[in-house]
Amino acid sequence: MDEVAFVPVPTLPALTCSGLRKSFRGGLVLQDLDLDVAEHEVVVLIGASGSGKSTLLRCINLLEELDDGTILLDGEHITDPRINPDTVRRKIGMVFQSYNLFPHMTVLENITLAPERVHRRRRAEVEAEASTWLERVGLGDKAREYPDRLSGGQQQRVAIVRALVNSPRLLLLDEVTSALDPELVGEVLSMIKDLKTEGMTMILATHEMAFARQVADRVCFLDGGRILEQGPPEQVFGSPQHPRTRQFLRRIIEAGRL
């Protein structure tokens, strides 16, 4: 009997962005941007302010409506206008640079609000999951505290737990350390490194170049709403090919941030 050759079935990217265009007040912020993210991959977006990093993340999470282009999550067209955005956001966690915690709610209430009210999950189930996450990130004793009793680093870790409590398929992090005092940055970055080790698929926008170099599987340099260069961190940071990337990194080095 002839042997049948094994042909591996190609796996779909976890996320596919094709031809994304977005403008504000007539100015293009994303210009025909394409990006694939593989399962378990950590993609870090770098670039100057206004280059389109945050807008890209907001479009992926359907917080901004695209002018053109498509976004697929596990092959599903999530930018189809017939799709319920709340259903999509249950699969995508997003963490912002400002913590966006409700000051009149405890840590536990902040984490469980959306799963209970929006996604109609049972309170006991969500509270148990939230408590497990808080223990994992060293905040198990803070569940009944109010946000103003926490440090900035602790508040940001709570915000990340809030994004993780629905077991998202994809985690988006937008400059999550930019509002922190320097001594508090490390505890948040350590949490993100742990998530990478556990295989979480992530897209991060950051100005922390040293951290990007450590955690990224792939670095994408954005300029003018386009990805001008992308590759492994050792290539992008060590031997950038595009003149604009070299110029950007030279300024970062001169500022002592790499």
Side-chain angles (χ1 to χ4, degrees):
M1 180 182 293
D2 293 336
E3 291 188 5
V4 178
F6 172 72
V7 179
V9 177
T11 56
L12 287 172
L15 181 80
T16 299
C17 301
S18 302
L20 304 190
R21 292 176 67 86
K22 177 66 182 176
S23 60
F24 293 109
R25 296 180 292 277
L28 271 175
V29 182
L30 298 179
Q31 301 191 51
D32 302 313
L33 186 145
D34 297 328
L35 176 66
D36 284 351
V37 180
E39 185 172 7
H40 308 309
E41 186 178 21
V42 178
V43 173
V44 175
L45 311 176
I46 65 170
S49 298
S51 60
K53 304 185 301 298
S54 294
T55 299
L56 173 57
L57 296 181
R58 291 178 63 84
C59 286
I60 292 171
N61 203 34
L62 307 186
L63 294 173
E64 299 287 354
E65 185 176 346
L66 290 169
D67 298 331
D68 199 5
T70 59
I71 301 175
L72 306 181
L73 181 65
D74 291 326
E76 179 186 9
H77 183 182
I78 64 173
T79 42
D80 185 322
R82 295 168 293 184
I83 293 289
N84 182 346
D86 286 335
T87 301
V88 173
R89 292 189 194 113
R90 184 170 180 176
K91 302 175 185 177
I92 302 175
M94 184 158 183
V95 186
F96 302 88
Q97 53 185 305
S98 54
Y99 324 125
N100 291 348
L101 299 176
F102 293 108
H104 63 289
M105 292 183 172
T106 66
V107 164
L108 188 62
E109 289 168 341
N110 267 281
I111 294 170
T112 59
L113 178 65
E116 284 185 52
R117 300 283 182 86
V118 178
H119 305 305
R120 305 298 181 187
R121 296 178 60 192
R122 292 187 299 111
R123 173 176 294 185
E125 172 193 344
V126 178
E127 286 191 353
E129 190 172 343
S131 297
T132 298
W133 270 111
L134 287 171
E135 288 289 346
R136 287 179 60 184
V137 302
L139 297 175
D141 60 338
K142 305 296 184 183
R144 305 297 175 183
E145 295 280 8
Y146 288 90
D148 64 359
R149 300 287 300 273
L150 305 181
S151 70
Q154 289 172 329
Q155 290 187 60
Q156 192 60 286
R157 279 185 283 164
V158 170
I160 295 173
V161 168
R162 181 177 56 187
L164 293 170
V165 76
N166 279 318
S167 302
R169 183 72 179 86
L170 174 67
L171 184 62
L172 310 175
L173 300 113
D174 187 14
E175 303 287 2
V176 293
T177 60
S178 65
L180 299 178
D181 293 333
E183 65 268 22
L184 300 177
V185 169
E187 60 192 67
V188 175
L189 299 187
S190 177
M191 182 179 178
I192 296 170
K193 286 181 182 178
D194 289 343
L195 291 172
K196 173 184 169 67
T197 301
E198 294 168 11
M200 175 66 69
T201 306
M202 292 185 278
I203 308 176
L204 299 82
T206 186
H207 288 298
E208 296 280 345
M209 296 298 127
F211 171 66
R213 195 168 198 159
Q214 293 177 48
V215 78
D217 296 310
R218 179 160 43 110
V219 174
C220 296
F221 172 66
L222 275 70
D223 186 69
R226 293 190 173 97
I227 297 176
L228 292 190
E229 184 166 353
Q230 59 182 305
E234 58 270 18
Q235 181 264 302
V236 174
F237 290 117
S239 183
Q241 303 301 301
H242 197 284
R244 181 69 185 92
T245 314
R246 292 197 293 269
Q247 180 188 49
F248 171 77
L249 291 175
R250 184 165 59 249
R251 290 176 178 172
I252 291 295
I253 292 169
E254 289 171 355
R257 289 165 47 202
L258 180 61

